[in-house]
Amino acid sequence: MKSFISKINTRFGFFLLITALFWIKTLIAYFTDFSLGISGLAQWIILLFNPVATTVLLFGIALYFRKTHLFYWGAIVIDVINTVLLYLNVIYFREFTDFMTVNTMLGYSKVNQGLSGSSIALTNPHDILYWIDLIVLVLLLILKKIKMDPIPLPKKIGFQITSLGLLLFSVNLMLGEMDRPQLITRTFDRSYIVKYLGLDAFTVYDGLKVEQNNKMRSDASKGELTAIEKYSNNHYAAPNSKTFGQAKGRNVIIIHLESFQQFLIDDKVEGQTVTPFLNSIYHSKDSYSFSNFFHQVGQGKTSDAENMLETGTFGLPQGSLFSQLGSDQTFQAAPAILKQNGNYSSAVFHGNVASFWNRDNVYKNMGYQNFFSASYFDTSGDKATGYGLKDKLLFKDSINYLQHLQQPFYAKYITVSNHFPYTMDKEDSKFKIPDTDDSSVNNYFRTANYLDQSVEEFFKFLKKSGLYDNSMIILYGDHYGISNSSNPELAKTFSQDPSHFKEFGKDPSKNWNAWDNAQLQKVPLMIHIPGMKNGGIQKQYGGEIDVLPTMLHLMGISSKPYLQFGTDLLSKQHSQIVAFRNHDFITPNYSSLNGTIYDNDTGAIVKPDDALQKQIEHDQNTVQKQLSMSDSLNEKNLLRFYKNKSFTDVESKDYNYADGLQKELDIEKKLGLKSTSMYSKNRDSSLAPLYKTDAPEAKHKSTGENRIKITNPDSGEN
């Protein structure tokens, strides 16, 4: 023991100690929090080895400090910074099953509102292991149990350690390339870099890519658009003559079902139907409902889903397009297309702060005329969750603004109550939840049921107000709600209604694998057109990238003039290859997941014969081209060079969300009897009294201290 203490009382001994401790907690993260898909002895050896090189390189910086306090406290600061990076990735991985990119870190201020609640819910008892070594080392230094060695190490020691670190990293890279050729040049999944080279190496690698992308954007030229135009034209799917124009001239209402997965449709837990109203919409003959529809989001999650829905282009391979590029991005987005093809007015209703996901800037570039965010609603007290106004109140309170929009209008509702960590006040729901070992799984059913009730109340209003018969209502799930790490616990609830989950081809609570996870990436898409009567459940495969061309064709607007990467789901020429952001993909017959091929009928791994292998290579190339073309368009902002007679570029300066409803009131006044708003058609009387909700917050006033005062345009009250 004395020998050990004497060694750590030297500078080199302290360096070895702090390096070893960080290596250990990195391995704790690898084995307890990160799912890196380790297989084979070689990958296990590389995983144990990969934290060493970068840890030696980083902590070796302290060896160059000559002054005593600078060496010791410099080493502690390096440890703190690296531990923060490690722990932020641990929290991020628990929610997103992914690693934080530099773009994610740079855009953190755009998405951090409300994350504190989620972060607390994502903590685990063993998290103390990531910090205990730092606490102990600092205390030992302060109490002088570890004595600071005043004798500086020879300069050559620092150079030797740096050289050793570089040598170790070279060996690490060589081993990684041997096990996974073209590791750096053909990286489709961030987990590969972490698995083979470590978290620090991934962060540096990602930072270099960000810098490269920034330079690429500034150097982009008009000529690069030619290949994308050719691809878009060749990829175009002509509309189905039976469905083209079915919703022409109707209002369009988009209901964004937060974190809502397809398995919730027709699901039962504890003897209760989870979403009875949405089930009725799903099975209605007035709806085109898609049973094999997948979310395709990346790290941008909700913002990626919005981007695909509005623009027909994918989100970025890293970070959020909204947060990173949206402030000065050129879009061909739905609100502007509909304004120029039918004089549609437009609005977004979202009970969160306007800056969340940088929406206050992005929506202007998309051509949204109105954005009614949290400042337009009373979010005080128990009326809001960490992510904004509760859904029942959002729908109800939005009527004060919706009724003043000129028809036809394009209106989007972004719900938030069904958001991780799925907490809900007891008075908001009596829904009985299952009892698994994962509270987020249990609570997910309750918040989904609350969302279902919210949508039902809104539909009742639409019918009472007369809007229902003259609208097309599109409901879609933006992304998964339950992360892959929690899916085995979720699977325990399936046994309550096993017939509903027969597509898994086995007991989903056992031998859970990548194919099962992929099946749970299905989200609902329901296009409800009242009075249609020839709808039904559609079994063709598709994803969020396909929504915009489908919607435009239903409205009698050709999607051909626009650069889009999806195809009309109802077209006979629709492509059924569904690309995921990590370059995996699914077709009606098989799934390609992390290089493994699964049969979609059984979920079993298959070894492709020559014919199937040829088809897989063709489909993989299709996916690669689709994603790379979209990335080139967005990362280089090539749409700024695109000129088409069918579309006029949006001028963001034309939109001001601070003046609220005033411009709509001015339009009503100017048009007089020609005004088409619901308010005008109701003889200048509010339709808000028609809205009925059982939300307890609507029956009594909250006493929250942070009450937001707004002006009610109908009553004049504050």
Side-chain angles (χ1 to χ4, degrees), residues 62-228:
L63 296 175
Y64 291 94
F65 300 149
R66 310 291 290 171
K67 294 183 178 180
T68 304
H69 283 82
L70 194 58
F71 165 78
Y72 282 95
W73 294 115
I76 292 294
V77 168
I78 293 170
D79 198 356
V80 168
I81 293 172
N82 228 21
T83 300
V84 168
L85 176 65
L86 176 66
Y87 189 65
L88 285 176
N89 273 278
V90 166
I91 294 296
Y92 192 82
F93 197 94
R94 286 173 185 166
E95 168 64 0
F96 299 109
T97 319
D98 204 349
F99 297 96
M100 291 186 73
T101 64
V102 170
N103 272 335
T104 305
M105 298 176 202
L106 293 175
Y108 182 75
S109 63
K110 304 292 185 184
V111 299
N112 68 342
Q113 190 273 335
L115 285 180
S116 58
S118 292
S119 298
I120 293 171
L122 289 166
T123 57
N124 285 330
H126 74 261
D127 289 359
I128 188 63
L129 297 176
Y130 295 117
W131 302 100
I132 190 67
D133 65 315
L134 271 168
I135 297 171
V136 171
L137 285 176
V138 169
L139 287 175
L140 291 176
L141 285 170
I142 292 174
L143 297 174
K144 298 183 179 180
K145 297 298 182 180
I146 292 179
K147 295 180 172 59
M148 295 186 181
D149 183 2
I151 303 173
L153 292 167
K155 292 182 179 179
K156 65 178 183 179
I157 296 296
F159 289 112
Q160 289 172 350
I161 292 298
T162 299
S163 299
L164 176 63
L166 291 172
L167 175 62
L168 291 173
F169 185 78
S170 298
V171 173
N172 190 175
L173 181 59
M174 179 187 68
L175 292 174
E177 285 284 348
M178 289 172 60
D179 193 68
R180 208 284 187 180
Q182 296 179 297
L183 173 64
I184 299 296
T185 57
R186 297 184 69 249
T187 299
F188 298 152
D189 190 333
R190 284 171 283 277
S191 65
Y192 277 111
I193 300 295
V194 177
K195 177 167 66 176
Y196 287 107
L197 300 180
L199 188 60
D200 289 323
F202 162 72
T203 304
V204 173
Y205 163 81
D206 183 63
L208 293 174
K209 285 193 67 177
V210 169
E211 177 60 28
Q212 181 184 28
N213 288 339
N214 289 340
K215 186 177 186 305
M216 178 174 59
R217 192 177 177 93
S218 63
D219 294 342
S221 65
K222 183 178 180 180
E224 296 177 82
L225 198 59
T226 304
I228 297 174

Side-chain angles (χ1 to χ4, degrees), residues 42 96 168 201 203 216 237 242 270 311 337 343 354 381 388 406 409 415 440 462 485 507 509 530 704:
F96 299 109
L168 291 173
T203 304
M216 178 174 59
K242 294 181 180 179
E270 303 299 323
T311 73
I337 293 173
N343 197 30
Q406 295 299 305
F409 58 70
T415 62
S440 65
L462 293 178
S485 60
D507 180 354
S509 65

Side-chain angles (χ1 to χ4, degrees), residues 113 351-353 374 377-394 397 416-417 423-425 427-428 450 697 702 704 706 708:
Q113 190 273 335
N352 202 345
V353 294
F377 302 102
D378 179 3
T379 60
S380 64
D382 53 4
K383 293 183 178 180
T385 67
Y387 288 90
L389 190 67
K390 293 177 180 177
D391 296 344
K392 289 185 178 181
L393 300 177
L394 172 70
D397 294 347
V416 299
S417 296
T423 54
M424 177 152 287
D425 295 335
E427 62 179 359
D428 285 320
Y450 176 88
E697 299 87 356
S702 300
N706 299 319
I708 297 175

Side-chain angles (χ1 to χ4, degrees), residues 658-686:
D659 61 4
L661 195 62
Q662 190 57 52
K663 57 180 174 290
E664 299 301 328
L665 298 178
D666 291 343
I667 292 173
E668 280 182 333
K669 184 177 180 180
K670 181 179 179 180
L671 291 175
L673 295 176
K674 294 182 180 180
S675 173
T676 59
S677 70
M678 290 189 293
Y679 183 82
S680 297
K681 288 183 173 296
N682 197 41
R683 298 180 180 180
D684 293 344
S685 297
S686 175

